[in-house]
Amino acid sequence: MGKCEQCIIKEFNALKSLTKEELMRVSACKTGRLYKKGQIIFEEGETLNGVYCVRDGVCKLSKLSENGKDQVVKLVVKGGLLGKRSLVTEQKTNLSAVALNDMEMCFIPKSEIMSDLSKNPKFTMDVLREMAHDLKESDESLVNMAQKSVKRRMAEILMYIHDNFGTDNEDYLSIVLSREDYASIVGTATESAIRILSQFKKEGLISTRGKQIKIEDYGSLKWIE
Amino acid sequence: MGKCEQCIIKEFNALKSLTKEELMRVSACKTGRLYKKGQIIFEEGETLNGVYCVRDGVCKLSKLSENGKDQVVKLVVKGGLLGKRSLVTEQKTNLSAVALNDMEMCFIPKSEIMSDLSKNPKFTMDVLREMAHDLKESDESLVNMAQKSVKRRMAEILMYIHDNFGTDNEDYLSIVLSREDYASIVGTATESAIRILSQFKKEGLISTRGKQIKIEDYGSLKWIE
DNA sequence: TTTAAAATATGATATTTGTCATGGAATTTT
DNA sequence: AAAATTCCATGACAAATATCATATTTTAAA
């Protein structure tokens, strides 16, 4: 396993604000973890005693609703940090994390990073900024859920994945999700998600190959309502 | 206007972690502001250069959706801080704040409080904790919006207001909102909000007197689905 | 490869929610 | 107090979405 101070992943998250010395200390105590597609990283209600740094792969952060359905709150890819909240609260985590494909992660124990949080203001501010960003995104999703149609939300998540996580060399979305996952992101029944994607396909907005999805007409997707 | 260091409001937010000296400095530069019911405190897209500390009254934080409807994201009462995000980001605010009744607030310029944020780790951690809490709440609302029926959401907001903001001496909810506000919190059409409240009334779950609402049967409200 | 299981697809139908229209009640303004 | 305005209420209907049922296809397992 590599050293944190040389890992380029850190550039994408708050860890970049740690000093070289701090990073070396973190590096010494971190543990690498591999997760297979579908594997649970942690579950709602668990006590996390550290943060996870995503080196490769994608996972979903979700929360179980009282009706028994899972709602995806956020997708996290390479460079993302999981469990930031655990650094500031003693509370158990309110979200579950599940790998959507094979993943490679580093786990950094809370004990090791807490001192940095109190001593390195630059790092703290960075964590604060990331949290503020998450909050803004969450508020936006909240408004979308409350005010937009399922079809619109589906169009938006396709564009979101396209814009933020990119495509492979054949223009297929690089993140491959099941229809059930799409339903659980958009907040609808699986059948409805399937129906809408079928409709998009018929209308030539997207094309599919197995689970893979390619956006064929971004411009029109944008104006779906 | 009183002095921050003697103001009991601060006990309810991150300002409690400032030292006496810091509080005196803040006190010297803060400005008191009064807002009347319905008055706009700030609007989405504005640049906030400070935080607002709510001394009295209630306001709603909302965001305009693309469909032209306002979605309430959070209610803030005595002790709450508005504009925390502005302390960590240069970005314009993503929310609007509107007074729901007459309000009394203190405005603390960003410039004055920023130095504390970088020098007083206890304060920073407190802001971080509040932000983490907001994020958790926002995620929960997101899941509720996505997975629960309008009726359920209405029942929950009534209970939320009851539990968090209390009642007057006749058991009426101490926060009085228009049906339109309820609709915009729950994320539904005003007519739907009206209809549901009427139904609750018919079923004896609540009673009303003008705009005032009294919860008559908390137990049953809890089991609405 | 065959079988079993899971995921996708689609129809039929029920339920929920939104929209438009209209009237009455409450509040504010003149 | 009258008029005007805003808010609340409710019916009728339309649209969106969920649910149930049942194929079909794809994927995983034996």
Side-chain angles (χ1 to χ4, degrees), chain B residues 128-140:
Chain B
L128 204 41
R129 251 187 289 272
E130 279 187 24
M131 198 89 82
H133 177 257
D134 285 353
L135 178 58
K136 184 182 173 193
E137 271 201 347
S138 180
D139 281 343
E140 280 166 5

Side-chain angles (χ1 to χ4, degrees), chain A residues 82-94:
Chain A
L82 303 182
K84 270 172 288 189
R85 252 176 47 85
S86 79
L87 292 182
V88 275
T89 325
E90 295 305 314
Q91 294 170 9
K92 301 177 196 304
T93 179
N94 58 325

Side-chain angles (χ1 to χ4, degrees), chain B residues 36-221:
Chain B
K36 274 179 289 184
K37 178 181 174 180
Q39 203 178 339
I40 293 169
I41 298 154
F42 54 77
E43 270 190 304
E44 209 176 327
E46 274 183 35
T47 304
L48 301 186
N49 34 27
V51 291
Y52 296 79
C53 178
V54 180
R55 297 193 56 175
D56 202 20
V58 196
C59 72
K60 60 179 176 185
L61 284 177
S62 66
K63 184 167 163 55
L64 199 61
S65 176
E66 286 163 34
N67 65 5
K69 287 186 192 164
D70 237 18
Q71 177 64 41
V72 173
V73 162
K74 190 175 164 66
L75 296 175
V76 185
V77 292
K78 192 190 284 189
L81 283 185
L82 303 183
K84 269 172 286 190
R85 253 175 47 84
S86 80
L87 291 182
V88 276
T89 325
E90 295 306 313
Q91 293 169 10
K92 302 175 195 304
T93 179
N94 58 327
L95 301 173
S96 301
V98 176
L100 289 175
N101 47 35
D102 292 353
M103 296 189 76
E104 197 181 328
M105 304 228 268
C106 290
F107 179 77
I108 304 166
K110 178 174 175 174
S111 57
E112 205 54 42
I113 215 168
M114 277 309 282
S115 60
D116 303 323
L117 205 51
S118 53
K119 286 175 199 153
N120 180 340
K122 190 149 173 281
F123 176 58
T124 319
M125 280 302 276
D126 253 26
V127 174
L128 204 41
R129 251 187 289 272
E130 279 187 24
M131 198 89 82
H133 177 257
D134 285 353
L135 178 58
K136 184 182 173 193
E137 271 201 347
S138 180
D139 281 343
E140 280 166 5
S141 302
L142 167 57
V143 176
N144 288 344
M145 284 295 171
Q147 304 279 354
K148 295 180 180 171
S149 71
V150 173
K151 204 194 291 184
R152 186 76 227 267
R153 269 139 57 197
M154 182 65 82
E156 289 192 358
I157 188 64
L158 291 174
M159 293 186 287
Y160 179 85
I161 291 176
H162 179 270
D163 296 347
N164 292 279
F165 308 138
T167 55
D168 65 16
N169 49 13
E170 285 182 284
D171 295 336
Y172 285 97
L173 297 182
S174 57
I175 293 188
V176 176
L177 300 170
S178 69
R179 304 295 195 252
E180 196 183 357
D181 281 327
Y182 275 108
S184 147
I185 292 171
V186 163
T188 190
T190 305
E191 296 94 321
S192 298
I194 290 172
R195 245 182 268 273
I196 288 171
L197 288 175
S198 298
Q199 195 194 336
F200 284 178
K201 206 158 63 172
K202 267 184 208 139
E203 291 169 354
L205 304 176
I206 63 172
S207 61
T208 62
R209 187 172 62 188
K211 276 196 216 281
Q212 292 181 89
I213 294 180
K214 189 196 299 193
I215 295 184
E216 296 287 352
D217 186 351
Y218 195 101
S220 300
L221 260 192

Side-chain angles (χ1 to χ4, degrees), chain A residues 69 149-151 188-189 191-192 195:
Chain A
K69 286 187 191 162
S149 71
V150 173
K151 204 194 288 182
T188 190
E191 296 96 320
S192 299
R195 245 181 266 274

Side-chain angles (χ1 to χ4, degrees), chain A residues 69-114:
Chain A
K69 286 187 191 162
D70 237 17
Q71 175 64 42
V72 174
V73 162
K74 191 176 163 64
L75 296 176
V76 185
V77 291
K78 190 190 284 188
L81 283 184
L82 303 182
K84 270 172 288 189
R85 252 176 47 85
S86 79
L87 292 182
V88 275
T89 325
E90 295 305 314
Q91 294 170 9
K92 301 177 196 304
T93 179
N94 58 325
L95 302 172
S96 301
V98 176
L100 289 174
N101 48 35
D102 291 354
M103 296 188 76
E104 197 181 328
M105 304 225 268
C106 290
F107 179 78
I108 305 167
K110 179 175 176 173
S111 57
E112 204 54 42
I113 214 167
M114 276 308 282

